[in-house]
Amino acid sequence: MPSVTEDRPNSRARIRNFILAAALFALALGPRLAHLDRGLRHQPEYDERIFVETTLEMMARGDWDHRFYEYPGLLIWILRIVFSAAEVSGAQAYLAARLLMAVASALTVPLLFVVAAKRISPGAGLAAGLLLALSPIEIETVHMFRPDTIIAPFLFGALACDSSGRTRLAWTLATVATALKFSAALVFAPLLASALMERTKLKHIAASCAASLALFTLLSPYTFLGGASSIEGMETQLDYHYAGAPSSSFAWMLWRFVADIPVRALSLPGLALAAWGAALGVRSRARWMFGWIAFPIFWILVFSSTGIRRDRFIVPVLSALCLLAAAGLEDLFSRARPIGYALLAVSLGVLGVGTARYLASLNHPLTMDQALDWARRTPGLETVGTTFAEIGALDMGPPELVMLRGFRGDPFVASQFDALILSAEAMTPPGFTRVALLNSASCCYDPNLALYRAETPRRFQALDLALAKVTSSAAERDARLGDGQVSTRWRADDSPAWVEVEWPATVEPTRIELAYGSMPPDRDLQVAISDDTGAIEAHSLRQPLLLQRPVGRDLSQVFGWPARPTRRLRLTLKGPVPMRIGELRVFVDAAPLALR
């Protein structure tokens, strides 16, 4: 009976801690899941796109070589497993990747609470968990796929295991983190220092290093099998951080980093508490605090030395800073409890307001969403030109959006589209009326846009090639170019190849279409066009083949130019052989520009 009575407080404490951990997880997960699909109708930024596209390409190939050697392979493997299990692609793949980040970030919060509650006190653990749960930078980071988020729980776990004497597990978690992102290897510095402080024999340290290297090789074998390509990828990653001489001294770069990112991630009072906690650990020589102090300092020193600053750089060490803040807060409670509560309240208030503002900004519709919705609901639009390639990239549908590369207001190019989506600063093209000006109210990348509608939609009429003489470098297949059947393909086995159309009387062609049907070339053909007058400066009027949707249907290349009289049109084609064309179509303007 006495043993039961003694176990009761411990049992109640475990139940209480479990409830608090679950509550913190729910509190953390909520804002991280909010608007997680934001922007996924459009092409995401490169830093997010490269991971998802690399994974999907690896799945399509059917191998496990990630080929993106700027990073280890484990993260791509995890994404492949997630994508395969969920059977997702396109926008849904991005959403699944973001969901993985959100869950990893939210799980770090109860993990932090459990460690801080055990090492310091349940109240301090609760405070640490709240600081991390409400950090605006932590929440913003998970709304775009970032490896910094998924390595955070592994790094925290490695430090927690090292502080409690579970060295092998600490090194294992550190190795897993490194197999996810190379920079996670920085955690081995405090782990090695800790082993030396414990007077661990050098042969045992060497054995731990060898075991970590073997585990890393298993988790990311293509980092080594990639050979020169792998080395080049790692050099590219280093160049990203250290290309070019620094524009200022290291002391100034360190100050700019510390005075900006950690303050916004933890609030100024929160950062002050973390500094006080670190000072307490140094003064008391608390062995268990060594890793928590050394790792954030070392990490910040390294990332302050680069020529770039990103908010996400603080995410891998933010949980450690929160634990130090909890230690400082616990000491302050013992000295002046009201001041401790006041600092905690101010810290949580600042972080809560920052997070609330960020989430409120996500409620505003993206200008790109508004532009796409306008194009979809406006009747009569077949093609829309835009200078923003990302609009609608993951939400394909009519009308077709065409990227206008290098567009500077060319009246002819503009006239080939029913509508235009341009920068808000662009001049109104001739023949167009501005119907809307969309100003961004969002915190994230969301350009100010202007929407234009053609005053008179252009119309085109196809010329009947049966009335013309069609010849080519593959003479035996000439008839297939204009027989009206895309399935009967003209084929050239040599590159370059040529096709020539000659009419019995003068015509004024203004565009051509190379229709491929379901068998397009691996990449867009290079097409040079000339007529009786000479070379024609033609403009591409469709998206590249790889971006046309739906895949495998109605794929083609379209070129246009200002109409001029001719009896002959010659096309010179270059590309991967065999080159197949289902149908050649030549168009004249059914509503000449002069009549508009």
Side-chain angles (χ1 to χ4, degrees), residues 74-96:
L74 180 58
L75 181 57
I76 307 298
W77 285 8
I78 292 174
L79 286 179
R80 175 174 180 166
I81 294 170
V82 171
F83 293 173
S84 297
E87 298 182 349
V88 293
S89 61
Q92 294 302 312
Y94 284 93
L95 182 59

PDB file of all heavy atoms in Angstrom, residues 74-96:
ATOM      1  N   LEU A  74      18.972  11.502 -48.167  1.00  0.00           N
ATOM      2  CA  LEU A  74      17.946  10.950 -47.276  1.00  0.00           C
ATOM      3  C   LEU A  74      16.638  11.724 -47.362  1.00  0.00           C
ATOM      4  O   LEU A  74      15.550  11.126 -47.367  1.00  0.00           O
ATOM      5  CB  LEU A  74      18.455  10.935 -45.828  1.00  0.00           C
ATOM      6  CG  LEU A  74      17.472  10.373 -44.787  1.00  0.00           C
ATOM      7  CD1 LEU A  74      17.078   8.943 -45.126  1.00  0.00           C
ATOM      8  CD2 LEU A  74      18.073  10.453 -43.380  1.00  0.00           C
ATOM      9  N   LEU A  75      16.708  13.040 -47.424  1.00  0.00           N
ATOM     10  CA  LEU A  75      15.484  13.834 -47.470  1.00  0.00           C
ATOM     11  C   LEU A  75      14.677  13.534 -48.736  1.00  0.00           C
ATOM     12  O   LEU A  75      13.447  13.418 -48.692  1.00  0.00           O
ATOM     13  CB  LEU A  75      15.830  15.327 -47.415  1.00  0.00           C
ATOM     14  CG  LEU A  75      14.639  16.287 -47.423  1.00  0.00           C
ATOM     15  CD1 LEU A  75      13.692  15.993 -46.280  1.00  0.00           C
ATOM     16  CD2 LEU A  75      15.120  17.733 -47.365  1.00  0.00           C
ATOM     17  N   ILE A  76      15.362  13.372 -49.861  1.00  0.00           N
ATOM     18  CA  ILE A  76      14.677  13.038 -51.118  1.00  0.00           C
ATOM     19  C   ILE A  76      14.060  11.650 -51.013  1.00  0.00           C
ATOM     20  O   ILE A  76      12.947  11.413 -51.508  1.00  0.00           O
ATOM     21  CB  ILE A  76      15.653  13.115 -52.309  1.00  0.00           C
ATOM     22  CG1 ILE A  76      16.376  14.465 -52.341  1.00  0.00           C
ATOM     23  CG2 ILE A  76      14.919  12.886 -53.617  1.00  0.00           C
ATOM     24  CD1 ILE A  76      15.479  15.651 -52.527  1.00  0.00           C
ATOM     25  N   TRP A  77      14.747  10.736 -50.353  1.00  0.00           N
ATOM     26  CA  TRP A  77      14.193   9.396 -50.160  1.00  0.00           C
ATOM     27  C   TRP A  77      12.921   9.447 -49.310  1.00  0.00           C
ATOM     28  O   TRP A  77      11.935   8.753 -49.612  1.00  0.00           O
ATOM     29  CB  TRP A  77      15.229   8.497 -49.479  1.00  0.00           C
ATOM     30  CG  TRP A  77      16.346   8.051 -50.375  1.00  0.00           C
ATOM     31  CD1 TRP A  77      16.594   8.483 -51.657  1.00  0.00           C
ATOM     32  CD2 TRP A  77      17.361   7.099 -50.070  1.00  0.00           C
ATOM     33  NE1 TRP A  77      17.712   7.862 -52.169  1.00  0.00           N
ATOM     34  CE2 TRP A  77      18.204   7.010 -51.212  1.00  0.00           C
ATOM     35  CE3 TRP A  77      17.663   6.338 -48.958  1.00  0.00           C
ATOM     36  CZ2 TRP A  77      19.306   6.161 -51.246  1.00  0.00           C
ATOM     37  CZ3 TRP A  77      18.768   5.498 -48.998  1.00  0.00           C
ATOM     38  CH2 TRP A  77      19.577   5.411 -50.136  1.00  0.00           C
ATOM     39  N   ILE A  78      12.960  10.235 -48.246  1.00  0.00           N
ATOM     40  CA  ILE A  78      11.773  10.358 -47.386  1.00  0.00           C
ATOM     41  C   ILE A  78      10.606  10.942 -48.184  1.00  0.00           C
ATOM     42  O   ILE A  78       9.470  10.457 -48.089  1.00  0.00           O
ATOM     43  CB  ILE A  78      12.091  11.234 -46.161  1.00  0.00           C
ATOM     44  CG1 ILE A  78      13.080  10.509 -45.244  1.00  0.00           C
ATOM     45  CG2 ILE A  78      10.822  11.585 -45.398  1.00  0.00           C
ATOM     46  CD1 ILE A  78      13.566  11.348 -44.086  1.00  0.00           C
ATOM     47  N   LEU A  79      10.884  11.954 -48.989  1.00  0.00           N
ATOM     48  CA  LEU A  79       9.830  12.535 -49.817  1.00  0.00           C
ATOM     49  C   LEU A  79       9.281  11.505 -50.794  1.00  0.00           C
ATOM     50  O   LEU A  79       8.069  11.451 -51.038  1.00  0.00           O
ATOM     51  CB  LEU A  79      10.363  13.747 -50.575  1.00  0.00           C
ATOM     52  CG  LEU A  79      10.592  15.027 -49.768  1.00  0.00           C
ATOM     53  CD1 LEU A  79      11.149  16.116 -50.662  1.00  0.00           C
ATOM     54  CD2 LEU A  79       9.305  15.488 -49.107  1.00  0.00           C
ATOM     55  N   ARG A  80      10.160  10.684 -51.342  1.00  0.00           N
ATOM     56  CA  ARG A  80       9.687   9.658 -52.288  1.00  0.00           C
ATOM     57  C   ARG A  80       8.738   8.694 -51.586  1.00  0.00           C
ATOM     58  O   ARG A  80       7.695   8.324 -52.149  1.00  0.00           O
ATOM     59  CB  ARG A  80      10.871   8.897 -52.877  1.00  0.00           C
ATOM     60  CG  ARG A  80      10.420   7.743 -53.765  1.00  0.00           C
ATOM     61  CD  ARG A  80      11.556   7.073 -54.463  1.00  0.00           C
ATOM     62  NE  ARG A  80      11.072   5.978 -55.300  1.00  0.00           N
ATOM     63  CZ  ARG A  80      11.807   5.376 -56.232  1.00  0.00           C
ATOM     64  NH1 ARG A  80      13.038   5.755 -56.455  1.00  0.00           N
ATOM     65  NH2 ARG A  80      11.301   4.404 -56.957  1.00  0.00           N
ATOM     66  N   ILE A  81       9.087   8.282 -50.387  1.00  0.00           N
ATOM     67  CA  ILE A  81       8.218   7.370 -49.647  1.00  0.00           C
ATOM     68  C   ILE A  81       6.872   8.022 -49.365  1.00  0.00           C
ATOM     69  O   ILE A  81       5.808   7.403 -49.524  1.00  0.00           O
ATOM     70  CB  ILE A  81       8.907   6.932 -48.339  1.00  0.00           C
ATOM     71  CG1 ILE A  81      10.147   6.089 -48.658  1.00  0.00           C
ATOM     72  CG2 ILE A  81       7.949   6.151 -47.449  1.00  0.00           C
ATOM     73  CD1 ILE A  81      11.034   5.812 -47.465  1.00  0.00           C
ATOM     74  N   VAL A  82       6.896   9.293 -48.958  1.00  0.00           N
ATOM     75  CA  VAL A  82       5.649  10.016 -48.670  1.00  0.00           C
ATOM     76  C   VAL A  82       4.811  10.162 -49.928  1.00  0.00           C
ATOM     77  O   VAL A  82       3.599   9.906 -49.923  1.00  0.00           O
ATOM     78  CB  VAL A  82       5.971  11.398 -48.061  1.00  0.00           C
ATOM     79  CG1 VAL A  82       4.701  12.258 -47.966  1.00  0.00           C
ATOM     80  CG2 VAL A  82       6.607  11.246 -46.687  1.00  0.00           C
ATOM     81  N   PHE A  83       5.440  10.573 -51.033  1.00  0.00           N
ATOM     82  CA  PHE A  83       4.696  10.765 -52.279  1.00  0.00           C
ATOM     83  C   PHE A  83       4.115   9.449 -52.788  1.00  0.00           C
ATOM     84  O   PHE A  83       2.983   9.411 -53.287  1.00  0.00           O
ATOM     85  CB  PHE A  83       5.600  11.373 -53.353  1.00  0.00           C
ATOM     86  CG  PHE A  83       6.056  12.778 -53.068  1.00  0.00           C
ATOM     87  CD1 PHE A  83       6.996  13.396 -53.877  1.00  0.00           C
ATOM     88  CD2 PHE A  83       5.539  13.491 -52.000  1.00  0.00           C
ATOM     89  CE1 PHE A  83       7.412  14.692 -53.633  1.00  0.00           C
ATOM     90  CE2 PHE A  83       5.948  14.788 -51.733  1.00  0.00           C
ATOM     91  CZ  PHE A  83       6.895  15.391 -52.551  1.00  0.00           C
ATOM     92  N   SER A  84       4.888   8.381 -52.669  1.00  0.00           N
ATOM     93  CA  SER A  84       4.405   7.078 -53.145  1.00  0.00           C
ATOM     94  C   SER A  84       3.252   6.584 -52.284  1.00  0.00           C
ATOM     95  O   SER A  84       2.254   6.069 -52.802  1.00  0.00           O
ATOM     96  CB  SER A  84       5.546   6.055 -53.131  1.00  0.00           C
ATOM     97  OG  SER A  84       6.582   6.433 -54.015  1.00  0.00           O
ATOM     98  N   ALA A  85       3.381   6.756 -50.975  1.00  0.00           N
ATOM     99  CA  ALA A  85       2.320   6.290 -50.076  1.00  0.00           C
ATOM    100  C   ALA A  85       1.032   7.079 -50.282  1.00  0.00           C
ATOM    101  O   ALA A  85      -0.068   6.519 -50.252  1.00  0.00           O
ATOM    102  CB  ALA A  85       2.784   6.398 -48.626  1.00  0.00           C
ATOM    103  N   ALA A  86       1.174   8.387 -50.504  1.00  0.00           N
ATOM    104  CA  ALA A  86      -0.007   9.233 -50.681  1.00  0.00           C
ATOM    105  C   ALA A  86      -0.474   9.286 -52.131  1.00  0.00           C
ATOM    106  O   ALA A  86      -1.552   9.830 -52.406  1.00  0.00           O
ATOM    107  CB  ALA A  86       0.290  10.647 -50.189  1.00  0.00           C
ATOM    108  N   GLU A  87       0.346   8.753 -53.049  1.00  0.00           N
ATOM    109  CA  GLU A  87       0.030   8.752 -54.477  1.00  0.00           C
ATOM    110  C   GLU A  87      -0.282  10.172 -54.966  1.00  0.00           C
ATOM    111  O   GLU A  87      -1.350  10.445 -55.512  1.00  0.00           O
ATOM    112  CB  GLU A  87      -1.142   7.806 -54.776  1.00  0.00           C
ATOM    113  CG  GLU A  87      -0.852   6.352 -54.442  1.00  0.00           C
ATOM    114  CD  GLU A  87      -2.016   5.434 -54.782  1.00  0.00           C
ATOM    115  OE1 GLU A  87      -3.112   5.953 -55.085  1.00  0.00           O
ATOM    116  OE2 GLU A  87      -1.825   4.202 -54.777  1.00  0.00           O
ATOM    117  N   VAL A  88       0.665  11.074 -54.745  1.00  0.00           N
ATOM    118  CA  VAL A  88       0.457  12.478 -55.096  1.00  0.00           C
ATOM    119  C   VAL A  88       1.483  12.925 -56.125  1.00  0.00           C
ATOM    120  O   VAL A  88       2.547  12.335 -56.278  1.00  0.00           O
ATOM    121  CB  VAL A  88       0.551  13.383 -53.852  1.00  0.00           C
ATOM    122  CG1 VAL A  88      -0.590  13.110 -52.899  1.00  0.00           C
ATOM    123  CG2 VAL A  88       1.896  13.208 -53.143  1.00  0.00           C
ATOM    124  N   SER A  89       1.131  13.977 -56.838  1.00  0.00           N
ATOM    125  CA  SER A  89       2.029  14.643 -57.775  1.00  0.00           C
ATOM    126  C   SER A  89       1.542  16.077 -57.908  1.00  0.00           C
ATOM    127  O   SER A  89       0.501  16.454 -57.373  1.00  0.00           O
ATOM    128  CB  SER A  89       2.039  13.936 -59.142  1.00  0.00           C
ATOM    129  OG  SER A  89       0.729  13.958 -59.713  1.00  0.00           O
ATOM    130  N   GLY A  90       2.316  16.891 -58.626  1.00  0.00           N
ATOM    131  CA  GLY A  90       1.904  18.273 -58.843  1.00  0.00           C
ATOM    132  C   GLY A  90       1.726  19.033 -57.544  1.00  0.00           C
ATOM    133  O   GLY A  90       2.507  18.902 -56.598  1.00  0.00           O
ATOM    134  N   ALA A  91       0.666  19.829 -57.466  1.00  0.00           N
ATOM    135  CA  ALA A  91       0.423  20.658 -56.287  1.00  0.00           C
ATOM    136  C   ALA A  91       0.257  19.817 -55.033  1.00  0.00           C
ATOM    137  O   ALA A  91       0.672  20.221 -53.935  1.00  0.00           O
ATOM    138  CB  ALA A  91      -0.816  21.524 -56.513  1.00  0.00           C
ATOM    139  N   GLN A  92      -0.347  18.628 -55.162  1.00  0.00           N
ATOM    140  CA  GLN A  92      -0.546  17.775 -53.998  1.00  0.00           C
ATOM    141  C   GLN A  92       0.784  17.275 -53.432  1.00  0.00           C
ATOM    142  O   GLN A  92       0.912  17.051 -52.227  1.00  0.00           O
ATOM    143  CB  GLN A  92      -1.442  16.587 -54.364  1.00  0.00           C
ATOM    144  CG  GLN A  92      -2.864  16.983 -54.718  1.00  0.00           C
ATOM    145  CD  GLN A  92      -3.546  17.733 -53.588  1.00  0.00           C
ATOM    146  OE1 GLN A  92      -3.514  17.306 -52.436  1.00  0.00           O
ATOM    147  NE2 GLN A  92      -4.160  18.866 -53.917  1.00  0.00           N
ATOM    148  N   ALA A  93       1.777  17.103 -54.289  1.00  0.00           N
ATOM    149  CA  ALA A  93       3.101  16.699 -53.812  1.00  0.00           C
ATOM    150  C   ALA A  93       3.723  17.811 -52.971  1.00  0.00           C
ATOM    151  O   ALA A  93       4.328  17.547 -51.918  1.00  0.00           O
ATOM    152  CB  ALA A  93       4.004  16.345 -54.994  1.00  0.00           C
ATOM    153  N   TYR A  94       3.575  19.042 -53.424  1.00  0.00           N
ATOM    154  CA  TYR A  94       4.089  20.172 -52.636  1.00  0.00           C
ATOM    155  C   TYR A  94       3.377  20.251 -51.290  1.00  0.00           C
ATOM    156  O   TYR A  94       4.003  20.520 -50.256  1.00  0.00           O
ATOM    157  CB  TYR A  94       3.897  21.482 -53.400  1.00  0.00           C
ATOM    158  CG  TYR A  94       4.878  21.678 -54.526  1.00  0.00           C
ATOM    159  CD1 TYR A  94       4.573  21.291 -55.827  1.00  0.00           C
ATOM    160  CD2 TYR A  94       6.128  22.259 -54.293  1.00  0.00           C
ATOM    161  CE1 TYR A  94       5.472  21.469 -56.855  1.00  0.00           C
ATOM    162  CE2 TYR A  94       7.038  22.443 -55.320  1.00  0.00           C
ATOM    163  CZ  TYR A  94       6.703  22.047 -56.606  1.00  0.00           C
ATOM    164  OH  TYR A  94       7.603  22.223 -57.629  1.00  0.00           O
ATOM    165  N   LEU A  95       2.081  20.038 -51.291  1.00  0.00           N
ATOM    166  CA  LEU A  95       1.321  20.093 -50.052  1.00  0.00           C
ATOM    167  C   LEU A  95       1.767  18.985 -49.093  1.00  0.00           C
ATOM    168  O   LEU A  95       1.910  19.215 -47.878  1.00  0.00           O
ATOM    169  CB  LEU A  95      -0.173  19.967 -50.342  1.00  0.00           C
ATOM    170  CG  LEU A  95      -1.112  20.053 -49.139  1.00  0.00           C
ATOM    171  CD1 LEU A  95      -0.932  21.386 -48.420  1.00  0.00           C
ATOM    172  CD2 LEU A  95      -2.560  19.867 -49.574  1.00  0.00           C
ATOM    173  N   ALA A  96       2.010  17.796 -49.621  1.00  0.00           N
ATOM    174  CA  ALA A  96       2.479  16.690 -48.779  1.00  0.00           C
ATOM    175  C   ALA A  96       3.847  17.011 -48.179  1.00  0.00           C
ATOM    176  O   ALA A  96       4.114  16.713 -47.003  1.00  0.00           O
ATOM    177  CB  ALA A  96       2.550  15.401 -49.595  1.00  0.00           C
TER     178      ALA A  96
END
